[in-house]
Each structure stands twice: as C-alpha cells, then as structure tokens.
Amino acid sequence: MTTRKLTIEDLQLNVSIRGQGSPLLLLNGLGGLIRTFDPLREELMDYRTITLDVPGVGKSQMPHWPMRLPRHADLIAEMLKQLGIDQVDVFGLSWGGALAQEFALRYPSRVRRLILAATSAGPAMLVKPADILDFFGRSKSARLRKQEGSRNSIQTLLRLGMVNGMLTVNPRTYYHQLTALVGWTSLLRLFRLRQPTLILTGDRDTLVRL
C-alpha cells in the first residue's frame, strides 16, 4: 500500500493507493478513516484501489470552514488528475455514497461505473445530527454509565468504530461532514446518472432504511 500527501487547493490530503488493475475509488462514510476499507481491499487485489481521508478526517488537513459537497467532489476530481487517473469506478458508502453521486453528476465522463451502499439521495438524512451532538455532548463517565440498548444505535456504532480505530475521534470532523450534507439532494438529478449503477442496502440497517 502506498500512502502519500497531495496538496489540492491549499489543503493537504492523505491518499492511499493499493494493488494493480482497473482503478476503483472508495469513498468512506461519516468519520471513516482510510483503514476502514482494509478488509475490503484485501479482497480486491485485482483492482487498483484509491481512497483518502477526506478534508478534516484522519491525516488530511482540516479546512478553516465547512465545505459543501460539490467542493468535496471538485477536490476528488483534482486528486485523480494529480494521480494521472482519467476514469474510475466509484464505490460510495453512506456519506461517501452522497459524495459519489455528486462526483458522478459533476464529472460524468470520469466515472465508468457506480456502486452506492447504505446511502441516500439526500432528502432523508443519513444520520440524525442530534445523535452525533448527543454522543459528543456526553461526558465520558456518562457515556460509560448509559445502557447501550440496541447494538445498532448510532452511539454504539460510533463508539465501536472509534475504539477499533475505524472512525475519527475528532467531533469537529462530524460537524463539518454533516454541514456538507445540509440542503443537499441528488433526487431531482438522478435521471442524469447514466453510468451502470449497483445499489447495496440492508433490510436491518437502522441508519438508512431500505
């Protein structure tokens, strides 16, 4: 695996490239670090997988102000240009699925095929902001005392992700990423997605309904 720093529009991005073959761009969910995709990438060695810590996540630079989703898409386009990659397949998970849609809509010639997993066209928020604020608003001792309840709750998922090093522990990151989604939708533009698209969803997903 090769990890490198790219400077794009005065922001340093942490980018990871692995394997050989057809390029596949992996876009992470809310707060997701590069290593979240490691198990999947182990199964995709016939592909050249590219992923990154989006701005404010992991080892990528935090922007001064929250960025809207279209600007995130523009940064992705510039990142691929710097890497010398003209066209990719794109896999977007949750928050990254929204970014994948925006990227495909803004740069249709750059996307060959699209995979959207556990995501939304925008009108239904992927995660309730109140749940994120509630999680970070609690004191550590209060969180430990609180009964876990459903293991699929957003609080439980955040806790497990952070403990396992899959999610960032920086609350500011979540505020920035949630702000990127405010008012965003692809619903009225979905007809413009001409790429072959695979949609993956689960009937027991407590965050994104089937």
Side-chain angles (χ1 to χ4, degrees):
M1 185 185 301
T2 300
T3 302
R4 66 180 72 177
K5 289 289 183 66
L6 297 180
T7 301
I8 302 173
E9 295 186 17
D10 297 325
L11 286 175
Q12 277 202 340
L13 297 186
N14 189 40
V15 179
S16 174
I17 304 171
R18 183 174 189 173
Q20 302 293 328
S22 180
L24 172 63
L25 175 65
L26 306 173
L27 298 176
N28 231 322
L30 196 70
L33 301 169
I34 280 177
R35 64 168 295 186
T36 305
F37 280 126
D38 283 356
L40 177 62
R41 298 172 88 181
E42 290 287 347
E43 304 296 327
L44 295 174
M45 294 306 294
D46 291 339
Y47 289 84
R48 183 185 183 194
T49 56
I50 307 106
T51 189
L52 74 155
D53 290 329
V54 298
V57 174
K59 296 181 180 179
S60 287
Q61 184 179 347
M62 178 75 71
H64 293 299
W65 303 100
M67 295 166 40
R68 306 297 293 170
L69 211 61
R71 189 180 174 208
H72 279 278
D74 293 342
L75 289 179
I76 295 294
E78 181 59 29
M79 177 193 77
L80 294 174
K81 181 179 179 180
Q82 289 193 25
L83 294 174
I85 300 173
D86 294 326
Q87 193 176 54
V88 291
D89 295 334
V90 181
F91 173 87
L93 171 66
S94 190
W95 186 93
L99 177 54
Q101 293 171 66
E102 186 65 29
F103 178 68
L105 287 165
R106 292 175 74 81
Y107 300 93
S109 65
R110 308 291 297 275
V111 178
R112 187 177 66 150
R113 293 179 298 187
L114 194 59
I115 306 167
L116 303 174
T119 192
S120 164
M125 291 293 288
L126 303 177
V127 177
K128 293 180 181 178
D131 290 335
I132 302 290
L133 296 173
D134 180 60
F135 179 82
F136 284 106
R138 297 180 188 278
S139 67
K140 184 177 180 181
S141 60
R143 287 202 303 268
L144 292 175
R145 290 195 305 268
K146 180 179 173 62
Q147 289 298 315
E148 192 169 278
S150 170
R151 291 187 58 83
N152 292 321
S153 69
I154 183 60
Q155 287 84 3
T156 302
L157 292 175
L158 284 168
R159 189 179 304 115
L160 291 174
M162 292 176 187
V163 168
N164 293 321
M166 300 296 185
L167 299 176
T168 181
V169 298
N170 185 353
R172 189 179 172 198
T173 294
Y174 297 92
Y175 304 151
H176 275 240
Q177 287 191 276
L178 288 170
T179 298
L181 284 179
V182 172
W184 177 86
T185 181
S186 63
L187 191 58
L188 299 179
R189 300 176 290 161
L190 287 176
F191 71 93
R192 289 169 43 196
L193 289 176
R194 301 296 185 181
Q195 299 88 347
T197 301
L198 173 65
I199 298 175
L200 302 175
T201 187
D203 58 7
R204 289 186 292 175
D205 188 333
T206 60
L207 303 183
V208 181
R209 294 187 302 170
L210 180 64

